Amino acid sequence: MPANTTASSGSSGSAGAKTGKKKGRRARLIVIALVLALVAGIGYGAYWSVATVRASYPQTNGSVKIDGLSANVDVKRDSYGIPQIYADSDTDLFRAQGFVQAQDRFWEMDVRRHMTAGRLSEMFGSGQVDTDAFLRTLGWRKIAQEEYDTVLSADTKKNLQAYADGVNAYLNGRDGKDISVEYAALGLTNDYKPTKWTPVDSVAWLKAMAWDLRGNMQEEIDRSLMTSRLSKEQIDELYPAYPYDKHRPIVDQGAISSVTGAFDPAATSSTGPGANTVQGATEGLNTQLSSLSDTLDEIPALLGPNGNGIGSNSWVVSGTYTTTGKPLLANDPHLAPQLPSLWYQMGLHCRQLSATCRYDTAGYTFSGMPGVIIGHNQDIAWGFTNLGADVTDLFLEKVSDEGYQYDGKVKPFVTRKETIKVAGGESRHITVRETNNGPLVSDRSGELEKVGQKAPVTNAAPDRGDGYAVALKWTALEPGHSMDAVFELDRAKDFKTFRAAAEHFEVPSQNLIYADTKGNIGYQAPGKIPVRKAGNGTMPSPGWASSYGWEKNPIPFDKLPYEYNPKRGYIVTANQAVIDEKKYPYLLTKDWGYGTRSQRINDLIESKIKGGGKISTDDMQKMQMDNTSEIAALLVPELMKINVSDKSVREAQKLLEGWDYTQEPDSAAAAYFNAVWRNILRLAFGDKLPKELRVKGECLTVLPADSTGPVDEQDKPVRECGQRDTDTAQPDGGDRWYQVVAKLMDDENNGWWQSPKNRKDKATETRDELFGRAMKDARWELTAKLGKDISTWSWGRLHQLTLKNQTLGTEGPDVLQRALNRGPWNLGGGEAAVNASGWNAAGGYEVIWVPSMRMVVNVGDWDKSRWINLTGASGHAFSAHYTDQTDKWVNGELLDWSFGTNAVAKATKDTLTLKPSR
């Protein structure tokens, strides 16, 4: 039996993965709902009582004996349940981290490892078979095992094993109901029981992280789908070039040195292969990838909707320009809202640093993985944003039963058999086929067998026959060192050791910012980024020709951009371009974020510095909550010029008079403008996109996709309904669309402003006619949503955040959702604002990604740093720490972040001592 000696008051895990919207689960969910209702005290029953809920709460006071410890370990928790661990050896430290995270969040950890291994069906039944099959095809768990067996250092493996031992020490002797209330509910419909944790379970999580931050795969699919209705020129207009003249890249100096051959921040011109000038020879391909896109929508997006929304802000300011005289560093990753939050706050401290105890670090961790991912140690601080490097390519493959065609010959597939165990049903069996370009993702969908049937390819392509299959080439499908990098970052002492750690952070490719106690600041672009033989990664490539594909080696690390103490005195990364492609010879991607957030942060910092002021911790915190809308600043002056005759629409238009373009939650102007923006996008672009990109259920009467001329008797309009999930439909309204519209503003008669000729309602011919129509449509849309009285309108009422438990709380009866979910909260901010509470303009106003945490690090004076999490430390639905940070997060508040021994002692509310079992 577990050695609990004191009643617990902490937190345990909830899930971090979607389970998919599948048939056949409703009866099971109803049973689970009833159980949870009783557990929550909604019903009655001797067994399902409050005691059942509390049985899984963690012990946070007293002492517990666990196997494997060499000495006592102290776990000190503050009033928010955030733990700080103190140990005398690395092994004890990570064993304790595993124990504590399992106490708080094992359900989340367990669901996550089943997702990464393609084993969700073992927990949730047949509804997850398709998702599992796709994940087995990608082979995340297989690659993680290879990494552990052949690549990772002995030191890293020792830490991973210690962590796993700690998790298992917690599990030992506990039934499911003693671990989390979700197991108690699941146990009535499934005989599933948690199994021991393994080191590979931790490594596999990095693959899920890499998947959600993989770059431009969705854009590659979308551009291919657009070719059914749009010309190459029109598609290019919807994917404009990065505006280097308006939005500063991260690194604005430096090049590949002609002397050393490495990147040099002081060099002025680059030498190298010039890969970014090679144009794709297959840009005209129409691969009909809608089925693949649908399949991708079913994969649990642990971090958020992939594409333009996935982002983050980070910036660091030199002590020259701060009130503290030392650097200040801020970070807020923008990810999917989850309950519990993706992040887990924690400190890992050696009581005395030595050769056998080397860590004194604190920050944000992932439940299920040892170490600290983002944070600081006693010498340096660091932050992450997504670099967005193009590390995936889709390849069309000419296949037969015998294999796939390559340079005129048929090569055999590499195959493996996979068995998917299904709770309450028979096991399913699949065969995974791989080409030299990766696994055939098209094998996982019957519709995908038709991929490429209508693709217009060049004469050099092999006969289409029954169509082309689709293979995925991705850097994360090769064993790598990213897990090594986590521990190396945690131990780094200066910029040299920081860069050495960054070299091992291969996937996902992230922007890393840096500051140290000696006053230095820096930036490094790491990652395993491929060098393409041909093409630029924006469209699928032919897999049958050796002239395509990737070179054997990626871009060398010493040629990747970095900065160290730049003259301007600060560094900003917010998913903008890393470096001007004209100054850099390697292709990183063609699909950057467009720099709206990054430029706003640059402007805020510069305005303070040029005004002679110094930047404080409060200033950094205030910047994180900046709500300014760049697209509003562009459009509102033009909207105000439009003569509106309808009194009700004119009443709404007046809301924009004198508006300062900030999107506060109580702002009626922000509500109306964003509705106008949404309708501009729909009228100008959305109604002209193919059904595969439009929102599910939204139907239009349009010309057939292969129409080229006006409507006639042989070419009649057809009714087409959208097929895309609301979170990923287009136009999503992100800053790519800001750039699209900005480029069209002066061309008032451009074809994009004109309505399709077959619309039943009144057509628009000019920009201002379309703007007028959008203002009218927005007025009546908000009347339906918020009421006729515009004095009651507010942006927050439209723009709401609901936190959902990512397994049992995503669907099912209301009582289940009430038990596990929280909200809604009315939010300010918006798409491409610094306070990036993102929403998809094609799908509606609901918040779909958020700053998942915020931190401001006061370098050197660590105890004056501040942090906040989206939810709380606990994954237990009825714990005091389930969402105890959310209200403060909504209001832009930060908590004090204790680090030093005295500060932690002062903040400590509970102390648990873990003791050796001997």
Side-chain angles (χ1 to χ4, degrees):
M1 293 297 292
N4 285 1
T5 60
T6 309
S8 61
S9 59
S11 53
S12 180
S14 184
K18 288 184 179 179
T19 62
K21 297 179 179 179
K22 304 293 184 180
K23 296 179 180 179
R25 290 183 54 207
R26 183 167 179 80
R28 182 166 66 258
L29 284 173
I30 290 173
V31 173
I32 294 172
L34 294 174
V35 172
L36 288 181
L38 293 169
V39 169
I42 297 171
Y44 56 87
Y47 184 71
W48 299 106
S49 62
V50 174
T52 304
V53 178
R54 291 179 175 171
S56 60
Y57 285 9
Q59 179 179 343
T60 58
N61 282 299
S63 64
V64 175
K65 290 183 178 181
I66 64 175
D67 292 336
L69 289 179
S70 61
N72 288 356
V73 177
D74 291 325
V75 182
K76 299 176 181 292
R77 293 178 184 264
D78 66 11
S79 58
Y80 288 88
I82 299 170
Q84 305 280 343
I85 300 177
Y86 291 85
D88 293 327
S89 71
D90 294 346
T91 302
D92 283 358
L93 192 63
F94 294 118
R95 182 175 278 106
Q97 184 181 15
F99 184 90
V100 171
Q101 289 192 337
Q103 278 188 307
D104 285 350
R105 295 200 181 182
F106 185 76
W107 168 263
E108 174 192 9
M109 293 163 58
D110 199 16
V111 173
R112 182 179 291 165
R113 68 164 163 176
H114 279 76
M115 189 278 294
T116 58
R119 295 171 49 209
L120 288 171
S121 300
E122 293 180 19
M123 297 184 76
F124 301 108
S126 60
Q128 298 308 302
V129 169
D130 289 344
T131 296
D132 283 346
F134 192 88
L135 293 169
R136 296 284 186 99
T137 299
L138 294 179
W140 292 353
R141 173 74 185 206
K142 169 179 167 287
I143 300 299
Q145 186 70 58
E146 291 178 25
E147 285 185 2
Y148 185 79
D149 291 341
T150 65
V151 174
L152 297 179
S153 71
D155 187 64
T156 293
K157 290 198 281 189
K158 181 180 178 182
N159 294 341
L160 287 164
Q161 186 61 60
Y163 181 90
D165 290 342
V167 175
N168 294 328
Y170 173 74
L171 296 179
N172 185 34
R174 284 181 167 85
D175 294 327
K177 62 181 174 54
D178 298 321
I179 297 171
S180 178
V181 70
E182 286 93 340
Y183 288 116
L186 197 64
L188 293 188
T189 61
N190 188 344
D191 60 359
Y192 173 81
K193 296 185 185 305
T195 58
K196 287 187 176 182
W197 193 264
T198 73
V200 179
D201 293 333
S202 296
V203 178
W205 166 236
L206 282 171
K207 300 303 173 185
M209 181 181 174
W211 175 255
D212 281 348
L213 300 174
R214 64 193 178 273
N216 77 334
M217 185 172 170
Q218 190 65 58
E219 286 84 352
E220 191 173 337
I221 292 170
D222 288 355
R223 274 187 287 255
S224 299
L225 292 169
M226 286 179 184
T227 60
S228 69
R229 288 201 169 275
L230 304 178
S231 68
K232 178 183 182 301
E233 291 71 25
Q234 289 175 312
I235 295 172
D236 288 344
E237 287 180 319
L238 300 187
Y239 289 89
Y242 185 87
Y244 291 100
D245 56 332
K246 291 172 53 181
H247 296 162
R248 175 187 293 162
I250 297 171
V251 175
D252 56 8
Q253 297 183 56
I256 304 294
S257 170
S258 59
V259 177
T260 66
F263 188 87
D264 182 352
T268 56
S269 61
S270 284
T271 59
N276 61 339
T277 62
V278 179
Q279 296 300 309
T282 59
E283 289 184 354
L285 287 176
N286 172 11
T287 62
Q288 300 295 310
L289 292 172
S290 61
S291 297
L292 177 58
S293 184
D294 289 344
T295 301
L296 297 178
D297 281 345
E298 297 296 328
I299 304 306
L302 287 182
L303 305 187
N306 187 264
N308 192 48
I310 283 283
S312 303
N313 302 320
S314 72
W315 65 96
V316 60
V317 182
S318 166
T320 304
Y321 299 115
T322 67
T323 58
T324 66
K326 290 289 180 68
L328 294 174
L329 185 150
N331 196 188
D332 55 289
H334 305 156
L335 306 170
Q338 298 176 36
L339 184 58
S341 167
L342 179 79
W343 300 107
Y344 183 93
Q345 295 151 290
M346 180 175 255
L348 300 173
H349 307 279
C350 288
R351 294 190 181 98
Q352 184 172 348
L353 293 173
S354 67
T356 56
C357 201
R358 298 167 292 169
Y359 296 88
D360 187 15
T361 183
Y364 294 86
T365 70
F366 291 138
S367 299
M369 182 187 296
V372 168
I373 306 300
I374 294 175
H376 71 82
N377 59 30
Q378 72 278 17
D379 297 309
I380 74 165
W382 66 94
F384 284 10
T385 64
N386 195 27
L387 192 150
D390 187 355
V391 295
T392 60
D393 276 341
L394 296 172
F395 283 85
L396 300 181
E397 303 282 4
K398 178 60 181 175
V399 303
S400 64
D401 291 341
E402 290 74 32
Y404 60 98
Q405 192 171 131
Y406 189 69
D407 282 349
K409 298 180 180 179
V410 175
K411 299 188 68 173
F413 297 111
V414 174
T415 64
R416 68 178 188 273
K417 304 285 188 181
E418 296 276 355
T419 298
I420 300 172
K421 296 180 181 179
V422 180
E426 295 183 0
S427 296
R428 310 291 177 86
H429 305 279
I430 65 170
T431 299
V432 177
R433 301 188 295 173
E434 295 187 9
T435 74
N436 58 357
N437 290 312
L440 289 182
V441 290
S442 52
D443 280 354
R444 300 284 72 88
S445 167
E447 293 181 13
L448 278 169
E449 294 177 4
K450 301 177 182 179
V451 167
Q453 282 185 343
K454 300 179 180 180
V457 293
T458 64
N459 292 333
D463 179 66
R464 180 177 291 109
D466 292 331
Y468 304 122
V470 180
L472 171 65
K473 197 171 184 67
W474 179 32
T475 56
L477 297 183
E478 302 170 0
H481 293 272
S482 293
M483 196 69 239
D484 288 332
V486 172
F487 298 112
E488 291 167 356
L489 277 174
D490 288 351
R491 298 193 308 265
K493 294 184 175 299
D494 51 30
F495 195 59
K496 180 180 179 181
T497 50
F498 169 80
R499 290 193 71 209
E503 183 172 4
H504 284 151
F505 207 95
E506 296 167 334
V507 292
S509 185
Q510 299 290 287
N511 296 307
L512 298 182
I513 60 166
Y514 167 93
D516 63 36
T517 55
K518 295 182 179 178
N520 302 301
I521 65 172
Y523 162 82
Q524 177 67 57
K528 186 186 292 184
I529 304 172
V531 177
R532 291 168 177 81
K533 295 179 181 178
N536 57 19
T538 60
M539 296 284 273
S541 296
W544 49 78
S546 60
S547 54
Y548 286 83
W550 296 352
E551 299 290 355
K552 181 179 180 181
N553 296 317
I555 301 173
F557 178 77
D558 67 358
K559 298 182 187 296
L560 291 171
Y562 75 95
E563 283 190 322
Y564 188 57
N565 294 328
K567 291 181 180 179
R568 64 180 176 277
Y570 61 91
I571 301 168
V572 176
T573 88
N575 317 114
Q576 78 270 41
V578 170
I579 189 169
D580 191 331
E581 63 181 10
K582 295 178 181 177
K583 300 178 181 179
Y584 187 68
Y586 291 98
L587 173 66
L588 299 178
T589 186
K590 286 288 186 180
D591 289 302
W592 300 111
Y594 280 78
T596 300
R597 284 179 287 108
S598 61
Q599 192 56 47
R600 175 62 178 169
I601 297 167
N602 271 292
D603 291 344
L604 290 170
I605 294 172
E606 284 191 357
S607 65
K608 187 79 172 183
I609 292 173
K610 289 181 178 179
K614 298 274 188 175
I615 294 173
S616 67
T617 306
D618 288 342
D619 291 330
M620 300 283 277
Q621 184 173 341
K622 184 178 179 180
M623 290 178 195
Q624 289 181 325
M625 296 301 295
D626 185 85
N627 287 327
T628 304
S629 170
E630 180 186 85
I631 192 62
L634 174 70
L635 291 180
V636 167
E638 301 304 322
L639 295 174
M640 296 306 300
K641 295 176 184 177
I642 295 174
N643 184 22
V644 176
S645 57
D646 187 306
K647 292 182 178 179
S648 295
V649 179
R650 173 59 184 151
E651 182 184 30
Q653 184 187 37
K654 287 182 179 180
L655 290 172
L656 304 179
E657 292 180 355
W659 180 43
D660 62 359
Y661 314 134
T662 59
Q663 301 169 96
E664 297 297 330
D666 60 355
S667 171
Y672 181 58
F673 171 77
N674 282 315
V676 174
W677 170 237
R678 166 173 149 84
N679 280 279
I680 287 173
L681 291 170
R682 176 181 61 81
L683 294 167
F685 310 105
D687 288 357
K688 297 162 189 171
L689 295 177
K691 62 181 180 295
E692 294 86 356
L693 273 68
R694 300 200 312 267
V695 173
K696 289 177 183 176
E698 291 190 1
C699 302
L700 296 172
T701 300
V702 297
L703 295 175
D706 56 356
S707 298
T708 56
V711 178
D712 56 31
E713 293 182 359
Q714 289 78 37
D715 201 11
K716 294 181 179 179
V718 296
R719 191 72 169 165
E720 286 187 352
C721 298
Q723 299 178 352
R724 185 64 67 82
D725 182 83
T726 55
D727 289 356
T728 56
Q730 293 293 335
D732 62 19
D735 63 353
R736 171 166 67 88
W737 294 98
Y738 292 12
Q739 193 66 16
V740 169
V741 170
K743 284 183 170 292
L744 299 174
M745 283 294 289
D746 294 336
D747 185 359
E748 297 187 18
N749 298 305
N750 190 282
W752 288 111
W753 305 128
Q754 300 170 11
S755 297
K757 301 301 181 184
N758 57 309
R759 287 184 66 94
K760 293 182 179 180
D761 45 18
K762 183 179 179 181
T764 60
E765 297 288 343
T766 67
R767 182 197 71 186
D768 286 354
E769 285 183 7
L770 187 141
F771 283 6
R773 169 67 186 276
M775 292 170 71
K776 177 181 177 182
D777 289 354
R779 175 33 158 141
W780 299 119
E781 180 187 1
L782 294 200
T783 297
K785 291 180 181 296
L786 302 179
K788 186 176 181 180
D789 183 359
I790 65 172
S791 68
T792 68
W793 290 3
S794 70
W795 175 225
R797 286 179 61 201
L798 277 180
H799 191 53
Q800 293 187 324
L801 168 68
T802 299
L803 293 172
K804 295 184 178 182
N805 176 293
Q806 292 297 295
T807 52
L808 304 182
T810 55
E811 52 182 275
D814 287 345
V815 66
L816 172 66
Q817 297 193 30
R818 286 199 302 271
L820 294 178
N821 301 338
R822 299 292 182 270
W825 285 267
N826 296 347
L827 297 192
E831 178 59 51
V834 178
N835 181 21
S837 55
W839 55 288
N840 186 307
Y845 305 97
E846 179 183 2
V847 176
I848 60 174
W849 55 77
V850 294
S852 56
M853 62 81 157
R854 299 186 184 101
M855 73 176 192
V856 177
V857 182
N858 196 315
V859 177
D861 198 352
W862 305 115
D863 293 329
K864 292 184 179 178
S865 300
R866 303 173 188 173
W867 62 353
I868 198 79
N869 206 348
L870 173 63
T871 60
S874 177
H876 293 286
F878 307 104
S879 164
H881 302 309
Y882 192 48
T883 55
D884 58 342
Q885 297 186 48
T886 306
D887 285 344
K888 291 181 179 295
W889 177 92
V890 168
N891 294 328
E893 299 176 48
L894 300 177
L895 304 176
D896 291 337
W897 180 356
S898 301
F899 179 74
T901 304
N902 292 337
V904 170
K906 185 176 180 180
T908 296
K909 300 299 181 185
D910 296 304
T911 300
L912 175 69
T913 301
L914 306 180
K915 295 185 174 183
S917 58
R918 64 179 188 276

